[in-house]
Amino acid sequence: MIELSALPPSVQAALLVGVILVQAVVLYVGYGAVERIVTERFSSFTDA
Amino acid sequence: MDIFGLGLALIVLFVSFGFVVGVLFGFFGMGGSFLITPTLLILGYPASVAIGSGLAFYFGTSVIAVMKHYDVGQVDYRLGAILFVVLSIGIELGSRLVFGLEALGVANLVTGVAYVVLLAGIGALFLRRAANLDADHGEDGEAVSDEEIPPIARQIQSYTVPPMIGLTSGGRASLWTITGAGGSVGLISGLIGVGGGFIRMPVIYYLIGTPLTAAVGTSLFAGLFAGAYGTFTYGMGGGVDLTVVSLLLVGSALGARIGSAATTAVNEDEVIVYFGFMMLFASVGIALSELGSWLEVGTLDVVSVFLLVGSSFVVASLILYQFGQATRTQYASARQVAKSGE
C-alpha cells in the first residue's frame, strides 16, 4: 500500500485537487439522479 | 465518537452548514466560500487551514457550477487564460503572505479583520439593493442589454496602453488593466480564502469591459482553474483539511440544488433584505470572536458562532419555508384541478 504522506508535497497537493474534483462530479451526478426521481414522483402526484 | 478525526457534533455541523451555504448560494447565485473561512477561523482552525479549506471548497463548488452551466453563457477563452495566469500569481502571493503572517503570529487577526470589513461591505450592498428595490417599484427602469458594455469600461478601454488584447466581443483591453485587475482579485482570494466570484465578475464586466454574458462565463472559467491552483498551493503547505472540505461539499451540493430550485417559487426581492442582515450579523460575529481572543473571553466565541452560523440557518430556513409553501400550494391546486376534472 502506498503511504500518502511519503509522497512529495506537490504530488500530495495534486492528489488533493483530484479527490475534490472527483467528489464534486460524483455529488453532482448522484444528487442529479435523486432530483430526477423526486421530480418524477412529484409530477406523477400532481398530474394524477 | 470520532469519525475521520472529527466528533459527531462537528460532522453534523459541517454537513448541515454546508447544506445551509448551498441553499443560500444556490438561491442567490454566489459561491459561498466567504462564509466558510470565517466559520473555520471562529472554530479555532489556523488561518492557513481556514483559508486553504475555503479555497478548496470554492474549487469543489466551481466544478459543480461549471457542470451545471456548461452550455450557458459565452467564454472569452483568451481573456480567461490570461486571467487564470494573473489570478494564480495573485493567489500565490496572497498565500505566501498568509504563511508569512502566520510565522509572525498575526494571520488570524489580519484575516479576521479583513472578513469583518468584507462581510459588512457585502451586507451593506445587499441592504442598499433591497432599499433601491422598494424605491424602484412602479418606475419603468431601463433594461440593460446583456450585450452592452458599461460606460466606465468603454472609458478604460479608450486608454490604449500597449500591449492591447483583442476580446471576442470585438473590443480591446490593455494587458495592464487585465493584469492589475485580475492580480488584485487573485491576491484577495489567496489572502482571505474566497473564490472571489462576487468581485471577479464585476471586475471583468466593469473594468475589462466584456458583455455581461461573456463576463459570467469567463469568470466561471478562470475561477475554476484559479480555485484548483489555490487548492494546490495551500495543499502543498498542508493548508487544506480534506475531511472538512468533503463534509461541507456533501451538504452544499444538495443545498445548492434545492436553493436553485427555490428560485422558481420564491421571490428573491422578498428575501434579499434578510440576506443583507445575515452578512452584517456574520461581520459582528467575527468582530466578537476577535475581541474574545484578545480579551481571552471564551463566551464571545460561542456568541460569534451563533451569530454567524445561526443567522445563515435562519435565512436558509426562510427560503426553504417559502419554497415548501409554494410547492404545497402548487400541489393542492393541481389536485383541485384533477378533482374538478373527474
Side-chain angles (χ1 to χ4, degrees):
Chain A
M1 183 156 169
I2 300 166
E3 182 65 45
L4 284 180
S5 55
L7 295 170
S10 57
V11 178
Q12 285 185 43
L15 279 173
L16 179 76
V17 173
V19 168
I20 294 172
L21 177 72
V22 170
Q23 193 192 0
V25 172
V26 168
L27 286 171
Y28 179 77
V29 174
Y31 284 142
V34 174
E35 188 183 354
R36 257 195 311 279
I37 294 166
V38 171
T39 311
E40 276 167 21
R41 289 261 167 102
F42 183 74
S43 301
S44 66
F45 271 124
T46 51
D47 295 343
Chain B
M1 183 177 72
D2 277 12
I3 306 167
F4 305 123
L6 289 175
L8 191 61
L10 267 183
I11 290 174
V12 173
L13 175 75
F14 283 132
V15 174
S16 52
F17 188 55
F19 176 77
V20 163
V21 170
V23 169
L24 287 173
F25 298 104
F27 186 78
F28 290 105
M30 292 167 151
S33 55
F34 58 83
L35 279 178
I36 300 298
T37 304
T39 307
L40 294 178
L41 281 175
I42 290 175
L43 289 172
Y45 284 83
S48 57
V49 176
I51 295 168
S53 303
L55 274 174
F57 173 78
Y58 165 75
F59 170 56
T61 55
S62 293
V63 172
I64 293 171
V66 166
M67 288 179 75
K68 192 177 165 197
H69 295 287
Y70 72 97
D71 57 345
V72 182
Q74 309 149 3
V75 177
D76 187 328
Y77 288 102
R78 188 191 296 170
L79 175 62
I82 297 170
L83 275 174
F84 160 59
V85 173
V86 292
L87 279 167
S88 299
I89 293 170
I91 288 174
E92 182 65 37
L93 291 176
S95 69
R96 285 181 187 211
L97 203 54
V98 169
F99 284 117
L101 289 170
E102 212 160 55
L104 294 172
V106 291
N108 283 51
L109 177 68
V110 172
T111 315
V113 171
Y115 266 103
V116 170
V117 176
L118 177 77
L119 295 180
I122 298 173
L125 280 175
F126 270 87
L127 288 178
R128 203 178 123 204
R129 201 171 128 193
N132 287 343
L133 281 173
D134 289 339
D136 287 346
H137 280 314
E139 287 178 22
D140 291 332
E142 264 185 50
V144 177
S145 162
D146 283 352
E147 297 307 315
E148 208 171 282
I149 294 170
I152 183 169
R154 281 203 295 267
Q155 178 70 38
I156 293 170
Q157 283 181 355
S158 70
Y159 304 120
T160 52
V161 184
M164 297 295 286
I165 305 292
L167 304 172
T168 40
S169 58
R172 287 167 72 77
S174 168
L175 185 63
W176 295 103
T177 312
I178 301 171
T179 308
S184 309
V185 174
L187 187 67
I188 294 170
S189 295
L191 197 55
I192 60 175
V194 292
F198 60 97
I199 31 178
R200 197 175 51 240
M201 208 282 285
V203 156
I204 296 174
Y205 179 59
Y206 286 108
L207 299 186
I208 298 172
T210 67
L212 199 55
T213 44
V216 173
T218 308
S219 169
L220 208 56
F221 172 79
L224 173 73
F225 291 104
Y229 183 77
T231 307
F232 179 81
T233 197
Y234 270 96
M236 290 252 286
V240 176
D241 190 322
L242 183 60
T243 310
V244 170
V245 175
S246 299
L247 292 171
L248 287 166
L249 280 176
V250 165
S252 157
L254 177 63
R257 279 190 178 271
I258 298 173
S260 178
T263 53
T264 57
V266 181
N267 186 0
E268 185 185 336
D269 297 354
E270 289 173 10
V271 197
I272 206 163
V273 66
Y274 301 110
F275 186 80
F277 279 118
M278 183 195 92
M279 287 296 181
L280 291 184
F281 279 130
S283 170
V284 173
I286 299 162
L288 284 180
S289 170
E290 290 303 324
L291 196 65
S293 308
W294 188 50
L295 299 173
E296 294 179 358
V297 182
T299 329
L300 286 177
D301 267 344
V302 180
V303 177
S304 63
V305 170
F306 266 103
L307 279 174
L308 180 59
V309 180
S311 59
S312 315
F313 269 87
V314 169
V315 180
S317 304
L318 198 75
I319 293 169
L320 291 175
Y321 174 75
Q322 290 201 13
F323 184 41
Q325 291 285 93
T327 311
R328 194 181 302 169
T329 311
Q330 190 190 345
Y331 177 68
S333 58
R335 298 288 290 179
Q336 192 73 33
V337 170
K339 268 188 186 171
S340 60
E342 280 170 8

